[in-house]
């Protein structure tokens, strides 16, 4: 006779018993199951896949077109971002390793090395230096501008300071502490992990504070840190602080993104600053309006602001446009009620 | 529930013996969309997901010989595509700055949306955060039982599992869900 496996032993007979009552069918209460039922009920309702959705997807299937241009854009953007980030990090690491291995030879590198970027630095160190001749033309700065790699090295430096530095050091010297970027990116990655993986915005903020204390808003990744801080504040419900930061950002449709812009507009509207909110909503809706959630939120938000500012016809026009574009949208029922359809 | 009963569609009996995509789509797309929405959670675009699922269906239709029930076959495809979509979404959210849905979840202005709607959406997000910590086999069975309100037998038919296994998974899923829910509420307080 076959011996029961360890697993089947563990499987208690009770576990095979049918479950008669769903948690979602339980009346409200304080017990674990009632709480779980209440929680699950909130997720049970999904928007019905209506005739319009059916027709749209069917049309896409028939034409074999994949309506996934946004996804492609995302994938390309992520790939490019990763490549750039990887390039910067590996350049910093390589430079650090090279500097560590070369040691004191670096200060002796000739000022007159060929104007072709930091990669030639090795040649300058390895090859016996020719007589040091300061090259007036092109200036080191002009050469720096032609080469993309050392951009971070001169972040925040003035032309005068660079020229003064060029007379003392090799013209394409990288920052004094090349591992700073690695430290900074480690801190920021930690904050993002806390925020999005562990859903702990408080800890994320603490790490961002540490980032700010160490890099004093001069870090290479400061813009990313600021956006992450805004997200953490939003998650903590600290809308005032988030709005203060967002107000300080020069947001455009193409800079930090439409999502930040619509978030700022909504927060401004929330604070009763409908004029400023309208500017953001208008900016979002000025050019092309992809059929996405941002457009949906912006249209509805602008309608609300216009209504609050007494622009009834404008609000009505926005609501009608909203219903035309998002007939099954999240605010569709409310919009229909408002315009009496 | 209708999804299992709708398995009695006549498309397998089509003259050519090969399932017809249009009939299949017309008959099952609403159920597939419902499963997809519930399996993938609130952060996923259901239209895109249904499109992807039926692209897979079209590609694999010639291989389908009717060994399994149509709904079981469709459900398996839906489960895989939804899982892949959740994985991609996690990746995207990790690397993306523009986490519009996350931001939206936290910034939906109270005067634009009724408060209870905001609370409902936040609860929905909490449910999926907890569900995502469960192993897929438990997670999906719990979703089918509690959110899709299928019976144990219907779940067994749909997933191809033994009915006894369904109950075992469900008991364990419930225990894990309660434990994770407590952990979650402990962390959020």
């Amino acid at each position: 006779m076959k011996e029961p496996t360890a697993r089947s032993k563990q499987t208690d007979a009770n576990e095979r018993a049918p479950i008669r009552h769903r948690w979602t069918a339980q009346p409200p209460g304080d017990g674990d199951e009632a709480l779980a039922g209440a929680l699950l009920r909130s997720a049970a309702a999904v928007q019905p896949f209506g005739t319009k959705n059916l027709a749209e997807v069917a049309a896409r299937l028939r034409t074999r077109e994949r309506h996934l241009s946004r996804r492609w854009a995302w994938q390309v953007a992520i790939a490019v971002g990763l490549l750039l980030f990887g390039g910067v990090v590996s350049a910093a690491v390589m430079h650090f390793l090279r500097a560590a291995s070369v040691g004191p030879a670096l200060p002796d590198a000739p000022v007159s090395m060929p104007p072709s970027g930091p990669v030639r630095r090795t040649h300058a160190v390895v090859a016996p230096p020719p007589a040091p001749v300061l090259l007036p033309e092109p200036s080191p700065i002009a050469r720096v501008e032609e080469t993309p790699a050392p951009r971070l090295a001169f972040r925040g430096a003035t032309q005068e300071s660079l020229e003064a530095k060029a007379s003392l050091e090799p013209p394409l010297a990288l920052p004094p502490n090349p591992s700073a970027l690695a430290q900074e990116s480690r801190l920021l990655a930690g904050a993002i992990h806390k925020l999005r993986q562990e859903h702990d915005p408080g800890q994320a903020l603490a790490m961002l504070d540490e980032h700010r204390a160490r890099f004093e808003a001069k870090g290479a990744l400061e813009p990313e840190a600021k956006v992450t801080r805004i997200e953490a504040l939003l998650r903590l419900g600290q809308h005032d602080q988030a709005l203060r930061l967002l107000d300080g950002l020069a947001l455009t449709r193409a800079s930090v993104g439409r999502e930040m812009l619509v978030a700022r507009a909504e927060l401004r509207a929330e604070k009763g600053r409908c004029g400023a909110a309208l500017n953001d909503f208008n900016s979002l809706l000025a050019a092309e309006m992809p059929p996405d959630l941002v457009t949906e939120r912006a249209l509805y938000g602008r309608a609300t602001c216009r209504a609050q500012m007494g622009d009834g016809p404008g609000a009505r026009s926005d609501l009608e446009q909203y219903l035309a574009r998002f007939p099954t949208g999240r605010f569709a029922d409310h919009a229909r009620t408002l315009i009496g359809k | 529930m209708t999804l299992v009963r709708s398995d009695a569609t006549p498309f397998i009996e089509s003259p050519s013996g090969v399932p017809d995509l249009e009939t299949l789509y017309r008959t099952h797309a609403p159920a597939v969309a419902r499963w997809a929405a519930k399996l993938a959670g609130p952060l996923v675009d259901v239209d895109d997901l249904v499109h992807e699922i039926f692209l897979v269906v079209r590609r694999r239709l010639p291989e389908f010989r009717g060994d399994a029930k149509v709904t079981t076959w469709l459900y398996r495809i839906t489960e895989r595509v939804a899982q892949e979509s959740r994985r991609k979404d996690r990746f995207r959210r990790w690397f993306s700055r523009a986490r519009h849905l996350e931001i939206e979840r936290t910034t939906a202005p109270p005067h634009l949306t009724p408060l209870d709607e905001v609370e409902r959406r936040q609860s929905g997000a909490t449910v999926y955060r907890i569900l995502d910590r469960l192993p897929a086999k438990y997670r999906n069975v719990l979703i089918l039982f509690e959110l899709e309100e299928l019976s144990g037998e219907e779940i067994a038919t749909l997933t191809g599992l033994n009915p006894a296994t369904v109950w075992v998974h469900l008991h364990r899923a419930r225990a894990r869900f309660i434990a994770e829910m407590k952990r979650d509420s402990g962390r959020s307080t």
Side-chain angles (χ1 to χ4, degrees):
Chain A
M1 191 169 158
K2 204 174 177 182
E3 284 289 314
T5 64
R7 188 172 179 79
S8 67
K9 277 181 191 167
Q10 284 174 357
T11 308
D12 192 280
N14 288 337
E15 286 192 310
R16 293 202 182 92
I19 295 172
R20 300 288 172 211
H21 303 289
R22 290 191 172 81
W23 285 345
T24 45
Q26 289 206 3
D30 289 335
D32 288 341
E33 295 192 353
L35 288 174
L39 208 53
L40 284 162
R41 267 196 300 275
S42 66
V46 295
Q47 283 205 341
F49 196 71
T51 323
K52 187 170 176 289
N53 306 74
L54 271 172
E56 276 176 9
V57 176
R60 279 155 63 181
L61 280 168
R62 267 189 220 106
T63 53
R64 287 179 170 260
E65 282 174 5
R66 297 195 69 182
H67 188 247
L68 299 172
S69 55
R70 274 182 300 148
R71 286 190 183 185
W72 278 110
W74 272 115
Q75 285 166 357
V76 169
I78 288 169
V80 169
L82 281 175
L83 281 173
L84 284 175
F85 184 73
V88 169
V89 170
S90 42
V93 169
M94 284 183 71
H95 177 81
F96 176 75
L97 291 175
R98 201 181 301 155
S101 64
V102 169
L106 280 177
D108 299 327
V111 181
S112 59
M113 64 185 185
S116 32
V119 286
R120 300 291 180 89
R121 189 177 179 131
T122 313
H123 302 298
V125 172
V126 174
V133 179
L134 286 171
L135 296 176
E137 291 296 338
S139 76
I141 294 162
R143 277 180 271 139
V144 167
E145 284 165 355
E146 287 162 15
T147 54
R151 190 174 65 83
L152 291 173
F154 296 100
R155 193 184 172 96
T158 62
Q159 178 135 340
E160 293 74 21
S161 68
L162 288 173
E163 281 171 345
K165 199 176 181 183
S167 64
L168 300 170
E169 287 182 18
L172 299 178
L174 284 170
N177 182 6
S179 64
L181 181 62
Q183 289 173 11
E184 197 185 348
S185 68
R186 212 167 25 240
L187 257 181
L188 189 56
I192 292 173
H193 181 83
K194 287 280 177 202
L195 185 62
R196 292 188 220 145
Q197 299 297 305
E198 297 183 14
H199 306 286
D200 190 347
Q203 274 293 314
L205 265 187
M207 294 188 80
L208 289 168
D209 286 342
E210 190 185 341
H211 174 270
R212 188 159 60 185
R214 285 173 68 174
F215 299 97
E216 295 176 342
K218 289 176 187 164
L221 302 175
E222 179 57 23
E224 287 78 4
K226 196 167 272 183
V227 171
T228 311
R229 177 179 293 276
I230 290 169
E231 187 187 341
L233 289 170
L234 289 172
R235 288 201 187 192
L236 286 170
Q238 296 179 12
H239 289 189
D240 287 346
Q241 288 187 45
L243 181 57
R244 213 170 299 136
L245 280 177
L246 279 164
D247 276 336
L249 291 180
L251 291 180
T252 63
R253 295 179 80 254
S255 62
V256 181
R258 299 168 68 241
E259 290 74 17
M260 279 286 161
L261 198 52
V262 81
R264 184 171 75 179
E266 288 173 348
L267 289 173
R268 283 175 166 176
E270 186 185 21
K271 295 291 162 200
R273 294 164 53 193
C274 273
L278 261 184
N279 286 341
D280 284 343
F281 285 133
N282 285 337
S283 166
L284 279 163
L285 299 170
E288 85 283 3
M289 295 192 286
D292 61 5
L293 280 164
V294 172
T295 302
E296 186 183 353
R297 289 162 65 192
L299 263 177
Y300 191 81
R302 189 168 73 177
T304 310
C305 276
R306 282 179 162 172
Q308 285 189 5
M309 294 175 79
D311 178 10
R316 188 180 184 84
S317 155
D318 277 342
L319 289 176
E320 282 170 348
Q321 204 179 342
Y322 176 91
L323 285 173
R325 293 177 67 95
F326 307 101
T328 58
R330 182 168 357 124
F331 309 115
D333 290 341
H334 193 211
R336 276 191 200 95
T337 311
L338 287 172
I339 61 175
K341 274 193 177 175
Chain B
M1 287 293 290
T2 53
L3 66 97
V4 174
R5 286 173 207 136
S6 68
D7 202 15
T9 51
F11 86 94
I12 294 181
E13 301 160 16
S14 65
S16 64
V18 178
D20 169 52
L21 181 71
E22 284 224 12
T23 314
L24 196 57
Y25 179 77
R26 209 170 41 245
T27 316
H28 295 286
V32 166
R34 222 171 44 239
W35 303 334
K38 286 174 180 167
L39 288 173
L43 295 179
V44 173
D45 185 306
V46 179
D47 281 17
D48 278 352
L49 207 53
V50 173
H51 183 218
E52 282 200 26
I53 290 164
F54 277 92
L55 284 176
V56 176
V57 168
R58 174 163 60 195
R59 199 169 61 240
R60 296 182 49 189
L61 208 47
E63 301 162 17
F64 182 75
R65 305 199 181 283
D67 296 339
K69 280 177 173 272
V70 185
T71 43
T72 305
W73 183 67
L74 282 173
Y75 174 78
R76 282 181 187 154
I77 293 175
T78 306
E79 202 176 42
R80 270 196 294 274
V81 174
Q83 193 173 357
E84 179 66 9
S85 168
R86 284 169 49 231
R87 193 185 61 74
K88 281 183 190 166
D89 183 65
R90 275 198 295 270
F91 179 82
R92 199 177 302 132
R93 274 186 286 153
W94 172 252
F95 284 104
S96 149
R97 265 201 215 171
R99 302 157 297 268
H100 54 86
L101 282 165
E102 292 190 356
I103 291 171
E104 178 207 14
R105 241 176 15 217
T106 51
T107 64
H111 67 281
L112 292 182
T113 323
L115 188 61
D116 54 351
E117 173 64 12
V118 172
E119 282 174 356
R120 193 191 64 78
R121 276 190 284 128
Q122 283 177 343
S123 303
T126 307
V127 169
Y128 277 91
R129 194 168 62 234
I130 295 171
L131 285 171
D132 283 349
R133 293 190 212 127
L134 268 54
K137 60 184 179 183
Y138 297 159
R139 175 189 190 276
N140 295 347
V141 166
L142 189 64
I143 286 174
L144 291 176
F145 187 75
E146 295 287 357
L147 303 188
E148 191 62 9
E149 298 187 350
L150 298 186
S151 68
E153 292 72 26
E154 285 170 331
I155 296 171
T157 309
L158 193 62
T159 56
L161 291 172
N162 184 309
T165 310
V166 169
W167 295 122
V168 171
H169 284 187
L170 201 48
H171 278 287
R172 292 178 181 173
R174 284 179 147 209
R176 298 276 285 261
F177 187 90
I178 294 277
E180 291 293 342
M181 186 180 75
K182 285 179 176 169
R183 214 179 74 175
D184 196 75
S185 64
R187 195 164 58 186
S188 64
T189 51

